[in-house]
Amino acid sequence: MASVSRRGWAEGPRSDVIPAGKSTAFAKARCRLMAAVAWIRSPEFGLIGQGMRFAIAGMTASVVSLGLTITLAQGFGLPFEAAFAIGYTIAVMTHFTLQRVFVWTRHEEFALPVHHQLARYLPIAVCNYATVALAIALLPHLLHVAALVVYLGATAVVTVMSFLLFRTRVFHAEELVGEHR
């Protein structure tokens, strides 16, 4: 378990060691970053910490998707549809990995092996995409609101549903298996 410093940040093992050949400023910044990551990954933050990490993972996946799609389409001249397919696929892979190693941090083992988690994760990701796409296609005309309003609302709903499903059905600890079935 990481210790807690005067600032209240958890410090990982050897977080005070400066890597050889690195500048002091770089090393201090790296140590602070590592301490911040250890702090936010602490299981003691419970549901609030999981929510914060879930938001960070989602934002990271969004940046990956946007960055790759724009770079491939604008920078390399790939057709936009192909660039989006590549960017979205890599973003989903990034998101799954972050869910597994960052968001759902715990002392216990996961109840499911990685291939079972992936088998549960992918249908949720596909349903999220389909739900938002369907909402954008149908609801603006029915509700007489802007597509952006529908997009934001639908995204908020699937985000909350994903958090709950990931927490209880995909990335849960061994002890939760019997409790939520």
Side-chain angles (χ1 to χ4, degrees):
M1 178 93 186
S3 62
V4 178
S5 72
R6 286 179 276 138
R7 295 181 193 165
W9 289 35
E11 295 178 350
R14 303 183 52 92
S15 65
D16 59 334
V17 175
I18 298 172
K22 301 292 182 182
S23 72
T24 304
F26 173 80
K28 285 181 181 178
R30 182 179 178 278
C31 287
R32 285 189 188 117
L33 177 63
M34 297 308 288
V37 169
W39 174 73
I40 199 166
R41 288 188 72 217
S42 174
E44 287 126 21
F45 279 103
L47 189 60
I48 302 269
Q50 288 174 342
M52 288 175 20
R53 293 187 303 268
F54 187 78
I56 290 168
M59 288 184 279
T60 302
S62 295
V63 168
V64 167
S65 179
L66 289 169
L68 278 174
T69 300
I70 291 167
T71 300
L72 292 172
Q74 301 297 313
F76 291 99
L78 234 58
F80 192 83
E81 294 80 2
F84 175 68
I86 293 167
Y88 187 77
T89 300
I90 293 174
V92 167
M93 291 168 32
T94 301
H95 191 257
F96 176 80
T97 302
L98 288 173
Q99 295 300 312
R100 194 161 157 73
V101 301
F102 178 67
V103 176
W104 306 107
T105 265
R106 56 179 40 94
H107 295 295
E108 306 88 13
E109 292 293 319
F110 287 118
L112 302 172
V114 68
H115 64 282
H116 287 208
Q117 288 176 333
L118 192 57
R120 291 182 181 197
Y121 173 89
L122 287 175
I124 294 169
V126 169
C127 286
N128 287 351
Y129 184 85
T131 300
V132 173
L134 192 61
I136 291 169
L138 300 176
L139 294 180
H141 304 292
L142 293 173
L143 301 176
H144 304 289
V145 296
L148 178 60
V149 171
V150 171
Y151 172 69
L152 294 174
T155 299
V157 169
V158 299
T159 298
V160 170
M161 294 306 298
S162 294
F163 178 82
L164 295 172
L165 288 170
F166 291 163
R167 186 172 194 269
T168 60
R169 299 285 185 229
V170 181
F171 301 105
H172 56 284
E174 187 72 43
E175 65 197 30
L176 296 178
V177 173
E179 294 176 22
H180 293 291
R181 291 212 180 216

